[in-house]
Structures are given as C-alpha cells and as structure tokens.
Amino acid sequence: MTPRVGVITFPGSLDDKDAARAVRLAGGESVSLWHADANLHSVDAVVLPGGFSYGDYLRCGAIAKFAPVMEKLVDAGNGGLPILGICNGFQVLTESHLLPGALTRNDHLHFICRDQKLRIENNSSAWTSDFEVGAEILIPLKNGEGGYVADEKTLDELEGEGRVIARYLGLNPNGSRRDIAGITNARGNVVGIMPHPEHAVEKLTGPTTDGLGFFTSLITSLVNNGKVSA
Amino acid sequence: MPKIIVSVALKPEILDPQGRAVLGALGRLGLSGVADVRQGKQFVLSIDGDVDDAKLAQINEIAATLLSNPVIEDFTVEVRP
C-alpha cells in the first residue's frame, strides 16, 4: 500500500501544491487536508506547508494553531505521527508547542530569498533518515521571520539530545541562534525546517534535488516501522 | 463602554530588530539620550457590559494563548472603565 501523506492547506498557504508534488515524487500518495477538517482522513504522515497562513496576522502561525484540523494534529503528533513543518509550517509547529522555541523577525529585518547551503546534523528523525550526518545540501530559503530563538537551556537541550537536524552554512541568513535551520522533537517524528526542501525535488525547477531526501526518508521510515509495505 | 488593554512586548532577552531600527531613526532625527527602544503591540477590547473577574480571567487566558506567545513575549492586562 502506498503511504498516504496529508498536506494541510490553510487560507494563505502557498507551497501546498509543491509539497504534495514532492510527496508523489518520493513515492507517496498526497492527500489534501483542509484547515477546517475535523479529522486527518487516516493519513500516515502530514506536511504543514510554507506560506502565510491567515495572512500571518498577529504572529506567524498564531491563528493557524486554532484551526480545527490542528487540534487533531497536535494529538496525533504527540502520539507519534510523522509531521514535517516547512517555513510557515515550522512556525505553526512552534506556536502549537509541538516543537520548542519560536521563529522571530530576521535580525536584519529584510525578507530573504536565496539558495541556502545547510549541513544535516541528525539522520535519526523520520524525515532525515536517508541523509548522511554531515551531508551538505543546497535548497531554497525564503522568509521574513525565520530567526530561530529559544532560551539557553532549551538550546543546550536540543544540542545535547542531537535534536538540531540542520544548520545554516556560510552567512547566517536570519539571526537564528546557533545557526539552527531545523529541529526535531524528542521522539523524532515531528520536524520543523525553515528552508524549503519541497522546492528542490526536480532539476527543472530547483537548484538541486537535495530536498527530495526529506520525503524519501519519510517513506523509508514508514516502511521500516511496518506502517506501510514497500 | 469599558475597555481592556492588552499590551504585548518581546521579553527583554529576545532581540528586537524593529525597536533597534526605530532607535537608529531617533538618532538621525536629533533625539539624543535614548538608550533603547522596544516595539510591542496593543490590543484594545471594547467590552459590552461590566468587566467582572470571570471576564478578566478569560481575557488573561486568551492573552496568554492567542494574543501573545509566552515563549518570546510578555503581556499586561489593564482595565479602563
């Protein structure tokens, strides 16, 4: 059975189609989920895509966390469902407390859009298992509020438990503490990343196909966990 | 009509690049002696009827969950009759 991966669309989501396409290229079946859905339609994993959910009014991701589908998603994430939040999706995950810390205004105040080099730091999460630790990848980055912050204790905890999954290489694009580009929860099923792996899955449209690894990792971990057969 | 004012500001330890940009502008406008600027936001809720303890408790709860993010922000609640 092909793994079914839900992609949630909020009003203002931008990258839901690209995320769904990345899921299909990795060998999964994409399932469109709507912010007002009362259930997750029995999907095996969920992607929260980039964009500007609810216009990013108030704070990025703040209003999205009260969407009906999010109540189900928070329970499911705490129960082990693989969830990947990209950019605005990462912001929704921190606002929902599925991941610690917060994303704040870029320290230089400019919206930044460029291809960004990252180093993979953890390959034990559901979304990074196909990478080698230390692998350098190049994927698009585009954000205005991508500065990852958390208190020192939380940052030390993330480092100590190996929960930083990717770090910015070269110039830090947004003032993120300790060059953090992405993190995972303690269980390794929930991952948030600020740059956009779903925009680097095909030679024609991306700088590389390095982003595909996040989606193939998911398929691999679902198969290994016996959730779906290969 | 009574108003409830919820003021939200970044915690002191969180970098505030917007406040810093304003501070820079103050200097260029010739205002000296300002050591720091912190930018926040304010929500003004106009309330139908009286503000009782139950209403205030409810608003404090919403200030802590929706109007502010306690990871990076502090808030205050003030009632103006």
Side-chain angles (χ1 to χ4, degrees):
Chain A
M1 204 178 80
T2 312
R4 300 175 74 243
V5 182
V7 178
I8 298 180
T9 301
F10 298 97
S13 292
L14 283 184
D15 301 325
D16 41 345
K17 299 290 180 198
D18 279 32
R21 186 171 173 75
V23 165
R24 291 195 298 273
L25 285 169
E29 176 192 346
S30 69
V31 177
S32 295
L33 299 177
W34 183 235
H35 68 111
D37 282 350
N39 72 75
L40 297 173
H41 300 279
S42 311
V43 293
D44 301 304
V46 166
V47 178
L48 290 168
F52 301 87
S53 56
Y54 298 90
D56 272 353
Y57 299 133
L58 190 58
R59 290 181 310 280
C60 302
I63 297 182
K65 81 167 156 173
F66 294 104
V69 75
M70 283 306 298
E71 195 183 324
K72 301 289 174 202
L73 191 69
V74 169
D75 288 346
N78 286 327
L81 185 81
I83 302 172
L84 175 67
I86 304 167
C87 196
N88 193 226
F90 188 6
Q91 293 162 338
V92 174
L93 289 176
T94 57
E95 281 283 343
S96 307
H97 306 302
L98 278 170
L99 291 174
L103 283 312
T104 58
R105 188 65 66 101
N106 293 351
D107 58 353
H108 46 70
L109 290 172
H110 299 288
F111 189 97
I112 192 156
C113 181
R114 70 177 190 217
D115 295 332
Q116 174 70 44
K117 205 184 245 194
L118 307 175
R119 185 175 59 239
I120 300 291
E121 302 276 22
N122 162 321
N123 68 352
S124 58
S125 85
W127 299 88
T128 55
S129 54
D130 280 359
F131 291 101
E132 301 282 334
V133 169
E136 294 187 6
I137 66 169
L138 183 74
I139 63 176
L141 169 93
K142 44 171 191 168
N143 66 67
E145 302 195 26
Y148 182 75
V149 298
D151 58 42
E152 288 298 314
K153 184 173 161 282
T154 305
L155 291 170
D156 288 342
E157 225 170 76
L158 288 172
E159 302 273 8
E161 295 171 8
R163 288 166 53 194
V164 175
I165 61 128
R167 237 182 272 269
Y168 297 114
L169 287 179
L171 194 65
N172 183 328
N174 46 31
S176 287
R177 306 299 303 277
R178 305 190 192 185
D179 300 330
I180 290 173
I183 57 170
T184 182
N185 63 347
R187 194 166 173 165
N189 60 307
V190 180
V191 165
I193 185 157
M194 198 28 72
H196 290 261
E198 83 285 16
H199 292 332
V201 294
E202 280 180 303
K203 270 274 184 269
L204 179 66
T205 53
T208 63
T209 55
D210 292 347
L212 199 57
F214 287 85
F215 300 92
T216 57
S217 294
L218 169 75
I219 306 297
T220 306
S221 54
L222 287 173
V223 170
N224 290 347
N225 291 341
K227 298 275 188 205
V228 292
S229 51
Chain B
M1 185 177 279
K3 291 188 180 355
I4 296 180
I5 319 287
V6 181
S7 303
V8 177
L10 285 170
K11 288 179 190 287
E13 65 270 26
I14 302 289
L15 181 72
D16 177 8
Q18 296 181 98
R20 205 176 48 188
V22 173
L23 181 65
L26 294 182
R28 289 194 294 277
L29 290 169
L31 180 65
S32 60
V34 180
D36 192 21
V37 176
R38 305 287 292 176
Q39 181 173 321
K41 51 192 149 194
Q42 188 177 66
F43 303 89
V44 180
L45 287 66
S46 302
I47 306 297
D48 279 329
D50 292 333
V51 177
D52 54 17
D53 286 353
K55 177 77 78 188
L56 209 52
Q58 217 176 356
I59 284 171
N60 267 285
E61 169 70 19
I62 283 173
T65 51
L66 174 66
L67 301 181
S68 76
N69 176 353
V71 175
I72 50 169
E73 293 170 325
D74 293 324
F75 69 88
T76 58
V77 176
E78 180 200 343
V79 184
R80 284 190 202 152

